Amino acid sequence: MTVGFIGGKFLPLHLGHVYAIVYASSIVDELYVVLSHSEIRDRELCQNTKMNDVPAQIRLRWLSQLTRDMPHVKVIFLEDDQDNDNYNWAEGAQLIKKAIGKPIDYVFSSEIDYNKIFKELYPNVEHKLIDPMRTHVNISATAIRRDGVFRHWEFIPDFVKPYFVKKVVVVGTESCGKSTLTKNLAKIYNTTYVEEYGRTLCEELGGCEGIMIKEDYQKIAYGHKMKEYKAIEKANKLVFIDTEAIVTQFYSNLYNDEHQPVLDEIAKLQDYDLWLFLEPDVKWVDDGLRVHGEDEERYQNNRHLKTLLDKHNIKYHRLTGSYENRLNGAIESIEQLLKG
């Protein structure tokens, strides 16, 4: 039985890594993919770049997803506390040999410069180079970190992309253009969006005034979150989301006079990259479900929603004026987000 291993930080995992792992797996009977991790080293690699450090557990999940249908490929996780300047290659080699626990025939990499060190550390092992000139997949993790993930989006595996998707949530009170703006932004950026699940549930119940009960708002928060997960899986760099748990809490207060702690807890777990707040300074439209169309009511509700957002320390971008102004303001904020 032939045994080989390929190691790396996979920060991030890209299609060059995928090519190398698949190619190596075709050469040996048993392949070990070694994820080498050090919080200090990984943090240093991402300093002064356009990519934040990715937790080792996430990278381990990526490798597990990649190899889950490759029974002769095993993923190994090795951790140390060394920095880049003082990494002990000999100590690392001993850890790898111990983890594999059997004679190694091949060590795989794409780096010609590793020939000398591998000959010293693995004297009876063949160093097999895979695509060293990057003619098959012209990318490196260094370039991705330097330029940002979105600059090299085509080299990110589909199952890795959801981790990097930026989540843009659109909030506001009744009839301020949330649904329209959410859909329009998704069209412009050719990506997915999440509709307001509360409206969906209300319509399923018949849509008449006073039909919502306390438990419905919990269903809305949970259901909406599941829709988000699905949309993120298929998103193209961005996902646009119409309302979230704080707005759901707002509606629970407005329609049922109920402030629900469970909704606050869900709100604490939310992690959005950009909040767009629509002021109620456009014409109110009666769609059959809205009931608070008087100007004073609209502005009072608007203040209430802002109070809820402030309690959760949410920093949001206000969008006002015409629909054109709102669209332009949203796009400007999104472009800044994409630049990192």
Side-chain angles (χ1 to χ4, degrees), residues 59-119:
R59 286 176 273 154
L60 186 64
R61 283 165 62 97
W62 290 342
L63 292 170
S64 178
Q65 286 177 271
L66 172 63
T67 60
R68 70 179 187 272
D69 59 351
M70 304 166 74
H72 68 302
V73 179
K74 297 176 173 57
V75 180
I76 295 176
F77 175 77
L78 296 179
E79 184 176 10
D80 62 76
D81 58 0
Q82 300 167 16
D83 60 21
N84 283 290
D85 293 334
N86 300 296
Y87 178 68
N88 190 319
W89 282 82
E91 184 179 303
Q94 290 302 315
L95 290 173
I96 290 172
K97 293 174 184 178
K98 182 179 179 181
I100 293 176
K102 59 187 69 174
I104 301 169
D105 301 290
Y106 295 93
V107 54
F108 299 98
S109 86
S110 300
E111 303 295 335
I112 298 174
D113 293 343
Y114 288 171
N115 272 328
K116 182 179 179 181
I117 189 71
F118 282 167
K119 188 173 183 179

Side-chain angles (χ1 to χ4, degrees), residues 201 205 211-221 248 260:
L201 180 61
L205 294 172
I211 202 171
M212 304 294 284
I213 61 174
K214 177 180 178 179
E215 289 75 13
D216 289 330
Y217 298 97
Q218 298 169 23
K219 293 179 184 178
I220 289 168
T248 302
Q260 304 191 41

Side-chain angles (χ1 to χ4, degrees), residues 139-162:
I139 194 59
S140 70
T142 301
I144 294 174
R145 292 193 298 269
R146 181 192 65 221
D147 302 331
V149 173
F150 294 149
R151 177 81 174 271
H152 301 286
W153 193 243
E154 70 273 20
F155 292 110
I156 304 298
D158 286 344
F159 59 88
V160 173
K161 287 177 177 176

